[in-house]
Amino acid sequence: MPQNPSKTFSNARLIPFYPGVPHPQQAVRLKPSTVFEQGRLVGEIGTTGVFSPYDADNEDGTEIPKGIVDRPCATDAQGEITYGAAATGGPSGETHLTVPAYFGGAFKTTDLVGLDENAATVLGGHLISGSIADGIYSF
């Protein structure tokens, strides 16, 4: 009997703060060779349909936040997605072409990676309570 597991599985994903409120999701493609944290805000690179981490200082479209990646994942050089922190394929070597992303909903700000005052304004949402650093944000 093996003492170390040969395969491990994770169901890590971003959970909305108010599950009863609509939280629209859409499958999105992600920028190749990039690691995405659970709850990472993303913007679309131009009009390519490919999303990359939001950065207010960029000038390629990703300075405009559009959604939130719902689980930790990494992409390889071809843009194939592995759920988890490394683009090595899942427990059985599987990869995905898309990952779910939220395009609305209410979330704990401490669960969101990259949320700043600019992103909160551009997303068109508002704080339900607390602050950007520790509160509830809805968009």
Side-chain angles (χ1 to χ4, degrees):
M1 180 179 213
Q3 293 186 4
N4 294 323
S6 59
K7 296 182 181 187
T8 58
F9 300 90
S10 171
N11 64 348
R13 59 179 289 241
L14 179 64
I15 304 296
F17 187 74
Y18 295 121
V21 174
H23 295 85
Q25 282 189 304
Q26 177 179 323
V28 298
R29 292 181 300 141
L30 299 176
K31 179 182 176 183
S33 303
T34 307
V35 175
F36 295 81
E37 302 93 335
Q38 173 180 309
R40 164 60 71 186
L41 271 68
V42 292
E44 185 178 9
I45 300 171
T47 58
T48 63
V50 175
F51 287 76
S52 182
Y54 157 75
D55 185 337
D57 295 329
N58 288 349
E59 294 182 5
D60 61 356
T62 60
E63 72 276 12
I64 302 169
K66 291 189 175 181
I68 304 167
V69 173
D70 107 328
R71 62 193 68 201
C73 56
T75 56
D76 63 16
Q78 289 75 40
E80 293 184 11
I81 301 164
T82 299
Y83 297 153
T88 56
S92 300
E94 74 277 4
T95 60
H96 307 272
L97 297 176
T98 61
V99 66
Y102 289 105
F103 287 86
F107 302 92
K108 292 173 64 174
T109 59
T110 55
D111 290 343
L112 303 178
V113 180
L115 183 67
D116 57 19
E117 294 288 341
N118 178 65
T121 301
V122 172
L123 283 169
H126 63 280
L127 283 167
I128 293 173
S129 65
S131 65
I132 293 290
D134 188 9
I136 307 300
Y137 178 76
S138 177
F139 74 108

